Amino acid sequence: MAGRVIAQGYRVVDEERHTVDYRSSVWGDYFIRNPILPHNYQKSLEWMTERCDELINETKEMFVDIINPFAKMTLIDALQRLGVSYHFKEEIDNSIESLVSVKFANDDFHAISLQFRLLRQQRRYMSCDAFKEFIDKEGNLNGTLCSDTRALLALYEAAHLGTPNEQILRKAQVETTNQLKRIVDCIEKPLSDKVRHALETPSFRRMKRLEARLYIQLYEEDKEECNEMILELAKLNFYLLQRLHREEVKEICEWYHGLESPRELFYARHRPVEAYFWALGVYYEPEYAKPRKLLAKFIATITPYDDTFDNYGLWEELQPFADVMQRWDEKGAEQLGRCYKDYAQFMFGTMNEIEGALPKGMSRENVNVIKDIITEVCKAYVTEINWRDSKYIPPLKEHLHVTLVSCFYWAINCTAFVVFQEGVTEEVMTWMSGFPQIVKDSCIVCRLMDDIVAHEFETERNNVATVVSCYMKEHDSTKEEAMEALWIDVENAWKDMNEEYLKLTSIPSSLLIQVINLARMMETMFTKIDGYTDSAILRKWISLLLVQPIYDLASI
């Protein structure tokens, strides 16, 4: 194929349209051809389901039997990280409430760190003053703490729940990271594996479904902490949920590949599997199958929207297209040219499907809020095209004013709420429509991470200036200096989210955690490269969740 080769091996196949040859998804129609997760274990599915229920009941009894606060915290942490905590909401809530008043000895570094993290994860405030004994008179980490790897690891994990003004936790985050990196090669397995896992991504920032799959093995190998009953529950529960998720991704693929409109969008990224993976990161529990599938359809639908603007459209073609899309004019879409008409029909069809799937009453009003936000996205796209065609590199603040909207995360957050339905009141929708700070923070994480890892790719194709280019111009800095500064901004956005998560008491936890979960997906997919565009990068993670059955069930 002719064309200029750019970053990541892509080719620019049409310079005027800035079109690159996006690679096809590695999955194709795999899940349509292979609809059922393999089952070759000794026990039947019926036995697995009954055994899982038995283990859930036995675990509930453990909450009553365990008196020691540290032992109870260890149990809660394991259940959460192994992905089974949704079975024990009442027990965990009651235990967390009792932990608020527990006072550990000042030098019980492990217990204090775990208490702090568990409380803040559940939106219970605990002062960072509890960590004063962790720092010596010279301002360094306490020597006793540094000699206890588990305590050091617990502090590292806790520090990632710090808020902007908690300097002691900022310092602890840096110091524990450096210390753990220094000692990790000297620690014996399995603890060294846990440290490497944490250094790669701290627990609070991990996609929870992927964390469950990866943590099962870490938990099993750590004989000092592993409870065999909890381990068995985690394995069985993961497999049973995995079967459900496998059925859902097949349904999403059949829906996408069965539509005529997307097939005409030859320039776009077609990512139904990756879109489902994204939605799976927002809510994975079995009771949320319907919202998960609707959100996956929405994400799969908006992907070609972005591509229509920056991987195909010319200004004179995009003007009438943008006008139709901003007016949500289904009849007007019939007058659009090739591809633009096809995409408009695709978007209108998905939004009509979402509205039709919701209960009558607030459905139309709530979907209209989504549409209003998407209209703002379209306006932002138009601004970006003007920037691109005039080769304008705006100041960073001006860039973010536009691109925090165009990254689509505000609209995805809103859609995640609307299809979820639970707790989505008129007041909540009014709050969401105002682009609240915690949502803006998730957009900052999205925009900055995307632009940092895709900077060479976007620059070499002469696309819209990235935040890296804006920073370099504004501060007369090198690319490396710009990226370093922007990674700090990502870190600051996480701290802002932590603070908002604690203080937004008027918004249900079940909704706010969706905002956090969307930020977590960026940590999963955009740490080193844009894994959504270059979908081979995500093959390993998607395979673990949807293709490879959980290991070692044959022995159960």
Side-chain angles (χ1 to χ4, degrees):
M1 179 187 292
R4 177 168 55 91
V5 179
I6 60 171
Q8 300 171 41
Y10 287 103
R11 290 179 181 271
V12 179
V13 294
D14 188 325
E15 295 284 357
E16 185 184 18
R17 292 183 179 275
H18 304 267
T19 303
V20 298
D21 59 336
Y22 282 134
R23 298 175 188 117
S24 300
S25 170
V26 295
W27 297 104
D29 62 353
Y30 173 84
F31 290 103
I32 298 175
R33 291 184 289 104
N34 301 275
I36 300 174
L37 192 71
H39 172 48
N40 55 2
Y41 304 127
Q42 296 173 357
K43 306 291 187 178
S44 67
L45 284 172
E46 182 181 13
W47 180 91
M48 287 183 180
T49 303
E50 291 176 355
R51 178 59 178 158
C52 198
D53 290 340
E54 289 174 7
L55 292 169
I56 289 169
N57 290 329
E58 289 178 29
T59 304
K60 287 182 177 181
E61 292 173 3
M62 285 179 65
F63 275 94
V64 178
D65 296 338
I66 294 177
I67 305 299
N68 180 278
F70 183 75
K72 187 157 285 189
M73 289 195 304
T74 303
L75 172 63
I76 293 170
D77 187 39
L79 295 174
Q80 289 179 339
R81 299 189 71 172
L82 293 168
V84 294
S85 58
Y86 67 95
H87 292 296
F88 311 101
K89 289 179 180 177
E90 184 178 347
E91 289 79 9
I92 289 175
D93 282 345
N94 291 338
S95 297
I96 291 291
E97 208 59 56
S98 67
L99 282 170
V100 172
S101 58
V102 173
K103 178 74 172 173
F104 291 100
N106 289 340
D107 61 351
D108 196 344
F109 303 124
H110 191 169
I112 293 171
S113 298
L114 183 54
Q115 180 189 31
F116 182 89
R117 177 164 65 85
L118 292 179
L119 288 176
R120 288 212 170 180
Q121 284 176 175
Q122 297 294 113
R123 300 178 73 193
R124 304 297 199 283
Y125 178 75
M126 178 175 170
S127 173
C128 65
D129 289 347
F131 295 104
K132 286 182 177 177
E133 296 294 327
F134 288 48
I135 308 293
D136 63 23
K137 293 179 181 179
E138 285 72 42
N140 300 312
L141 289 177
N142 185 298
T144 305
L145 167 64
C146 289
S147 65
D148 184 345
T149 302
R150 289 186 187 273
L152 195 65
L153 182 58
L155 176 57
Y156 166 87
E157 295 282 19
H160 283 87
L161 281 102
T163 59
N165 296 321
E166 294 177 321
Q167 296 304 319
I168 191 170
L169 290 177
R170 280 185 180 271
K171 186 173 181 61
Q173 185 175 327
V174 172
E175 292 298 319
T176 53
T177 300
N178 292 337
Q179 180 69 3
L180 288 170
K181 284 180 177 178
R182 277 195 295 269
I183 66 174
V184 65
D185 291 331
C186 306
I187 309 168
E188 292 185 0
K189 287 177 173 286
L191 189 53
S192 61
D193 289 336
K194 278 191 170 181
V195 170
R196 289 189 180 91
H197 179 74
L199 287 173
E200 184 179 86
T201 309
S203 174
F204 187 66
R205 298 184 190 176
R206 278 191 177 271
M207 176 193 184
K208 291 299 107 177
R209 190 62 183 155
L210 187 57
E211 168 79 334
R213 177 68 194 243
L214 297 173
Y215 199 73
I216 284 173
Q217 183 173 354
L218 294 171
Y219 184 72
E220 182 173 21
E221 292 173 350
D222 190 352
K223 301 308 179 186
E224 186 175 326
E225 292 191 351
C226 180
N227 178 300
E228 292 296 331
M229 184 181 78
I230 300 299
L231 176 65
E232 183 184 356
L233 170 61
K235 289 181 178 180
L236 286 171
N237 190 79
F238 189 95
Y239 178 74
L240 292 171
L241 258 186
Q242 194 178 25
R243 288 182 64 88
L244 171 66
H245 296 155
R246 179 65 170 260
E247 292 171 4
E248 291 174 4
V249 74
K250 179 202 73 150
E251 185 178 328
I252 296 301
C253 289
E254 288 177 335
W255 163 81
Y256 192 90
H257 292 297
L259 294 170
E260 183 177 345
S261 296
R263 289 200 295 271
E264 300 300 320
L265 308 176
F266 58 90
Y267 54 83
R269 293 164 294 170
H270 300 287
R271 300 288 184 268
V273 174
E274 292 79 6
Y276 177 79
F277 175 68
W278 210 318
L280 189 58
V282 180
Y283 14 66
Y284 68 87
E285 299 87 343
E287 61 265 38
Y288 303 131
K290 181 179 176 181
R292 183 164 50 246
K293 288 185 286 186
L294 289 172
L295 183 60
K297 289 181 178 181
F298 180 76
I299 295 171
T301 300
I302 63 175
T303 303
Y305 204 172
D306 182 59
D307 297 336
T308 300
F309 274 88
D310 75 10
N311 200 54
Y312 180 70
L314 299 175
W315 176 241
E316 58 271 21
E317 300 168 352
L318 289 169
Q319 278 184 306
F321 172 67
D323 180 59
V324 165
M325 298 306 292
Q326 288 175 35
R327 289 186 287 108
W328 291 90
D329 184 359
E330 294 191 38
K331 288 185 179 179
E334 296 293 329
Q335 309 306 314
L336 295 173
R338 178 187 177 213
C339 297
Y340 300 105
K341 173 183 174 181
D342 292 301
Y343 180 73
Q345 290 175 335
F346 185 25
M347 170 59 88
F348 295 152
T350 298
M351 294 309 295
N352 290 337
E353 180 177 351
I354 289 173
E355 184 174 335
L358 300 175
K360 291 181 179 179
M362 289 298 291
S363 63
R364 180 175 294 275
E365 289 81 358
N366 289 352
V367 170
N368 282 342
V369 175
I370 303 173
K371 288 181 176 179
D372 288 344
I373 296 172
I374 296 173
T375 296
E376 294 304 309
V377 173
C378 188
K379 291 176 182 177
Y381 281 158
V382 170
T383 300
E384 288 188 17
I385 295 303
N386 279 318
W387 288 351
R388 181 195 70 186
D389 291 350
S390 63
K391 298 184 174 10
Y392 177 57
I393 302 178
L396 185 59
K397 185 176 180 180
E398 180 185 353
H399 188 284
L400 292 177
H401 180 73
V402 172
T403 60
L404 292 186
V405 176
S406 68
C407 76
F408 240 115
Y409 242 39
W410 180 16
I412 295 174
N413 270 285
C414 186
T415 305
F417 276 32
V418 169
V419 299
F420 187 72
Q421 298 180 47
E422 294 177 16
V424 183
T425 62
E426 186 176 348
E427 291 73 21
V428 166
M429 292 306 297
T430 300
W431 172 81
M432 175 60 79
S433 66
F435 204 2
Q437 187 60 48
I438 191 170
V439 175
K440 196 170 291 183
D441 290 328
S442 75
C443 293
I444 291 172
V445 171
C446 174
R447 170 51 60 202
L448 297 190
M449 291 189 71
D450 190 351
D451 274 20
I452 290 169
V453 300
H455 171 68
E456 278 81 9
F457 169 67
E458 298 294 354
T459 301
E460 291 178 22
R461 68 189 285 212
N462 298 317
N463 202 4
V464 181
T466 68
V467 292
V468 178
S469 297
C470 295
Y471 189 97
M472 290 168 65
K473 178 184 176 183
E474 191 170 341
H475 297 274
D476 192 24
S477 71
T478 65
K479 179 182 70 175
E480 291 71 24
E481 289 168 341
M483 289 182 172
E484 184 178 352
L486 292 166
W487 278 121
I488 292 172
D489 287 343
V490 171
E491 190 61 46
N492 290 336
W494 267 106
K495 295 191 186 319
D496 286 342
M497 271 192 290
N498 292 344
E499 184 172 55
E500 293 289 307
Y501 184 60
L502 284 172
K503 76 179 189 182
L504 281 170
T505 54
S506 62
I507 308 298
S509 298
S510 59
L511 296 177
L512 280 190
I513 199 63
Q514 295 172 29
V515 183
I516 301 292
N517 282 340
L518 280 165
R520 287 166 170 163
M521 290 308 296
M522 295 305 297
E523 295 278 345
T524 301
M525 300 198 288
F526 287 78
T527 301
K528 296 177 180 177
I529 197 172
D530 178 353
Y532 190 71
T533 295
D534 214 342
S535 68
I537 304 298
L538 298 180
R539 185 201 295 263
K540 177 183 177 182
W541 302 139
I542 292 175
S543 182
L544 282 174
L545 299 191
L546 299 172
V547 178
Q548 299 176 30
I550 191 75
Y551 65 94
D552 201 27
L553 271 178
S555 63
I556 292 177

